[in-house]
């Protein structure tokens, strides 16, 4: 099972360093190194890339990323108990692994990385969506990363790749698909993790586009989408009442119907409306 490198099996690493999983830290560890190498491969060719990993824990995915040829891995881990185990991996892969003991929400990670950059992480559930939204809404596009390969609860993964017309479609789908290609590349049952979570998980791969799919001002689009989905059962003309006094005219000028509901409107439709509102 543990054939990808010469380091000890992860169960031994966890026992040696007393890394009992903590729920408060969102800790569900992957212990099968063949599986972590498979997840690393979903990110594409890692050779010649810096990889950012949030939450390496005992280092299962980190070892997968290094074994798959990442030029350098920058791993940000909040739980100081994991540092000794990660230090052993650093020693086995000289000059290729940098570990920072920090909260990923407090750090400008791009300052520590050299392009091209891929982000690959089994994210802690409590900060996963917040990190994704930050990566998708940088001040400038293209962003610092080429691709994101991220493990989420399956329900979150489905919201990222959702198409118009269903309950899963909303702000996360629009933010994700406006400027990236997004698809689910793997599904994992609870038993793949220690301890097993209550729900299934999925890996999503997002590839940044050079240009947004449709022109729109990012801030205006974000404001409209937030307002529209905040009251998703209402018609656009009611949900967007606060956006502009003549919103009904602007909805019509964008080629939409004032009676449409947010979940029926495509990304192209929201971008057309953002242009009408900004104009
Ligand atoms: N990558 C490991 C694996 O696949 O087995 C662990 C994944 S576990 C789901 C999430 C990891 O994120 C834990 O190691 C946890 O300590 C760490 N973590 C939680 N919150 C964090 C934060 N705000 N910043 C950085 N790391 C965090």
């Amino acid at each position: 099972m543990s054939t990808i490198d010469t380091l000890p099996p992860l169960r031994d690493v966890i026992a040696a360093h007393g890394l009992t999983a903590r729920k408060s830290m969102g800790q569900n560890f992957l212990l099968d190194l063949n599986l972590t190498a498979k997840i690393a491969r979903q990110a594409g060719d890692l050779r010649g890339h810096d990889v950012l990993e949030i939450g390496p824990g005992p280092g299962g995915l980190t070892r997968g990323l290094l074994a798959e040829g990442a030029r350098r891995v920058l791993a940000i881990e909040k739980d100081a108990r994991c540092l000794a185990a990660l230090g052993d991996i650093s020693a086995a892969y000289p000059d290729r692994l940098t570990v920072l003991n920090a909260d990923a929400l407090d750090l400008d990670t791009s300052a520590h990385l050299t392009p091209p950059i891929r982000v690959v992480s089994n994210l802690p559930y409590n900060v996963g969506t917040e990190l994704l939204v930050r990566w998708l809404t940088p001040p400038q596009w293209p962003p610092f990363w080429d691709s994101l390969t991220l493990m989420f609860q399956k329900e979150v993964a489905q919201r990222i790749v959702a198409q118009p017309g269903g309950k899963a479609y909303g702000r996360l789908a629009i933010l994700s698909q406006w400027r990236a290609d997004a698809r689910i590349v793997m599904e994992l049952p609870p038993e793949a993790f220690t301890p097993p979570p209550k729900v299934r998980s999925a890996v999503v791969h997002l590839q940044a586009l050079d240009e947004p799919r449709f022109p729109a001002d990012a801030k205006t689009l974000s404001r409209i989408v937030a307002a529209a989905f905040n009251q998703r059962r209402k018609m656009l003309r009611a949900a967007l009442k606060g956006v502009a006094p003549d919103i009904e005219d602007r909805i019509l000028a964008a080629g939409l119907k004032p009676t449409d509901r947010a979940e029926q409107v495509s990304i192209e439709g929201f971008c057309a409306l953002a242009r009408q509102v900004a104009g």
Side-chain angles (χ1 to χ4, degrees):
M1 207 139 118
S2 304
T3 51
I4 66 166
D5 56 35
T6 54
L7 287 156
L10 282 158
R11 274 187 204 287
D12 296 355
V13 172
I14 283 176
H17 296 282
L19 299 179
T20 336
R22 288 192 180 150
K23 212 174 168 186
S24 61
M25 287 271 192
Q27 292 180 340
N28 299 96
F29 299 135
L30 289 165
L31 303 189
D32 178 347
L33 290 165
N34 291 320
L35 184 59
T36 62
K38 188 172 171 193
I39 295 167
R41 285 197 291 277
Q42 305 306 316
D45 192 354
L46 297 177
R47 287 169 300 175
H49 285 77
D50 274 14
V51 175
L52 170 64
E53 186 193 3
I54 306 300
L61 181 56
T62 320
R63 286 163 64 174
L65 294 165
L66 290 162
E68 288 299 318
R71 173 177 66 195
R72 195 174 144 252
V73 176
L74 173 67
I76 316 294
E77 175 54 62
K78 188 173 172 183
D79 185 353
R81 294 180 310 152
C82 300
L83 298 181
L86 295 166
D88 293 343
I89 306 175
S90 264
Y93 289 94
D95 301 324
R96 289 179 59 202
L97 173 61
T98 306
V99 180
L100 298 181
N101 181 204
D103 186 326
L105 294 174
D106 297 341
L107 209 67
D108 176 13
T109 42
S110 61
H112 300 265
L113 293 156
T114 308
I117 298 161
R118 295 191 192 276
V119 181
V120 187
S121 301
N122 173 14
L123 289 173
Y125 75 95
N126 44 350
V127 292
T129 314
E130 167 71 25
L131 285 169
L132 174 64
V133 169
R134 288 189 189 189
W135 288 326
L136 291 169
T137 54
Q140 307 251 321
W141 199 269
F144 76 89
W145 49 271
D146 289 355
S147 67
L148 309 173
T149 306
L150 306 171
M151 177 97 67
F152 288 100
Q153 298 174 26
K154 189 178 166 191
E155 176 263 330
V156 177
Q158 285 170 328
R159 287 201 276 132
I160 294 168
V161 303
Q163 298 297 308
K167 279 209 179 86
Y169 182 65
R171 181 168 168 257
L172 212 48
I174 293 167
L175 281 184
S176 302
Q177 297 171 45
W178 177 43
R179 296 190 287 196
D181 281 327
R183 61 201 166 90
I184 292 179
V185 290
M186 257 176 100
E187 282 195 31
L188 288 92
E191 314 80 77
F193 302 85
T194 303
K198 288 205 172 65
V199 292
R200 287 181 72 81
S201 301
V203 178
V204 184
H205 182 75
L206 296 110
Q207 189 76 42
L209 302 174
D210 291 339
E211 298 278 339
R213 219 174 277 283
F214 311 103
D217 170 64
K219 282 210 172 97
T220 313
L221 178 65
S222 181
R223 189 158 62 93
I224 288 173
V225 168
F229 284 99
N230 203 16
Q231 307 188 61
R232 61 187 296 143
R233 303 182 83 72
K234 288 201 175 168
M235 294 175 186
L236 287 183
R237 68 174 171 220
L240 299 180
K241 199 164 64 205
V243 170
D246 55 349
I247 193 66
E248 211 160 323
D249 294 343
R250 295 180 193 244
I251 292 170
L252 287 166
L256 304 172
K257 291 200 220 88
T259 51
D260 281 344
R261 289 181 167 77
E263 66 185 37
Q264 297 168 271
V265 179
S266 66
I267 298 177
E268 188 171 12
F270 274 115
C271 289
L273 183 54
R275 291 196 299 276
Q276 288 300 327
V277 168

